[in-house]
Amino acid sequence: MTKIKSLADLKKKKEDLQSKIALREKSDTPEGRVLVKVAMATCGIASGSKEVMEYMVDELDKRNIDAIVTQTGCMGYCYAEPTIEVKLPDQEPVVYGYVDTRKADEIIEKYIRNQELVDGIIPVNYQTIEKDKEE
Amino acid sequence: MKTLALHILDIAQNSITAKAKNIFIDIEEDTRENRYVIRVTDDGSGMPEETLRRVTDPYYTSRTTRKVGMGIPLLKQHAEMAGGYVSISSEEGKGTRVEAVFEHGHVDRQATGDIAGVIVLLIGGNPEIRFRYVHRYNGNDFSLDTREVKEILEGVPVNDPEVLKYLREMIRENLSGIGAL
């Protein structure tokens, strides 16, 4: 039987990772990185945002795209979940709706790699529901 | 929400919104007592009693982007469907604890689902928050504390994709080791 992984083994892997990260930091500044935010509220989770986020983390790493993938709350586009916001360096963020892993692949290949806009953008809208929550 | 793991992901988002620095996720499975307990405890902002009374109401939400809040109501529904209940306690400035209890063997109890993926997603998306995850299964247990992980990593970011992948596999192997997967 193979040994179950433990934190002790992670320690051994650490040095490998340290050199990889040092290399990356030399080549890039944080502002130069792609920022992906996955909407992860109840509506997003119920629609599959977990799978989309996992896909983004794994695939961007596999395809050697230096990106930060984080979570955000509900942007009010519950009908279009899962939604993700992609911000390329020096550009306005773009929100995509109805993102599944296939759409995510298209966004990585076309938009993130080549700045080609992909179908499924949610237009910018500054309205929220009435502000009756003034405190 | 199709699985209990997704409920945990959802409930933990509330803790994150409440600016928690420490989030404890405990799962206790006891097949002999026929109990499956999920507990999410945080040191976030907490809620006043008035809010606490309203959180199980689907028409209550703290958001302004939409008018409904289904997270807690759905968890409550799913717990009650499986012979259990949800209890929430909270103190302003101290934090909140959400506990969901299910009958372990109830036909309508949802499956655990990809709990390893959920824990790793929470860690990866919120590297500055300390997560402690304890999973007990009939007396055996597995625990993971990101404070320990960070000590071991000595500056390597805990949200590095390779670290996350490793943690995911580690959780899966250990859970199947204690019989919980």
Side-chain angles (χ1 to χ4, degrees), chain A residues 4-6 9 14 18 20-21 24 40-42 45 50 53-54 58 71 74 78 129 133, chain B residues 1 10 13 61 63-67 114 121 126 152-154 156 162 166 168-170 173-174:
Chain A
I4 291 181
K5 289 191 174 65
S6 70
D9 306 317
K14 188 190 67 194
Q18 268 166 335
K20 239 182 91 175
I21 287 159
R24 187 197 300 157
M40 196 70 70
T42 309
I45 296 168
K50 171 181 166 287
M53 179 156 172
E54 282 172 344
D58 291 349
Q71 297 162 9
C74 167
C78 308
I129 60 167
K133 295 211 162 53
Chain B
M1 300 301 141
D10 192 19
Q13 298 297 333
T61 177
R63 293 179 191 280
T64 53
T65 52
R66 55 168 148 79
K67 289 182 174 180
D114 182 20
L121 209 63
N126 310 279
I152 284 173
L153 287 173
E154 288 173 357
V156 173
E162 266 186 64
Y166 186 84
R168 187 157 66 206
E169 284 165 17
M170 188 180 95
E173 287 181 11
N174 280 279

Side-chain angles (χ1 to χ4, degrees), chain A residues 67-83:
Chain A
I68 306 173
V69 184
T70 60
Q71 297 162 9
T72 176
C74 167
M75 296 182 265
Y77 309 122
C78 308
Y79 61 91
E81 295 290 348
T83 55

Side-chain angles (χ1 to χ4, degrees), chain B residues 133-152:
Chain B
Y133 162 53
V134 179
H135 199 133
R136 289 194 188 81
Y137 188 90
N138 286 345
N140 296 316
D141 62 67
F142 165 70
S143 69
L144 177 77
D145 190 334
T146 55
R147 192 149 71 181
E148 272 175 59
V149 176
K150 281 177 195 164
E151 272 169 29
I152 284 173

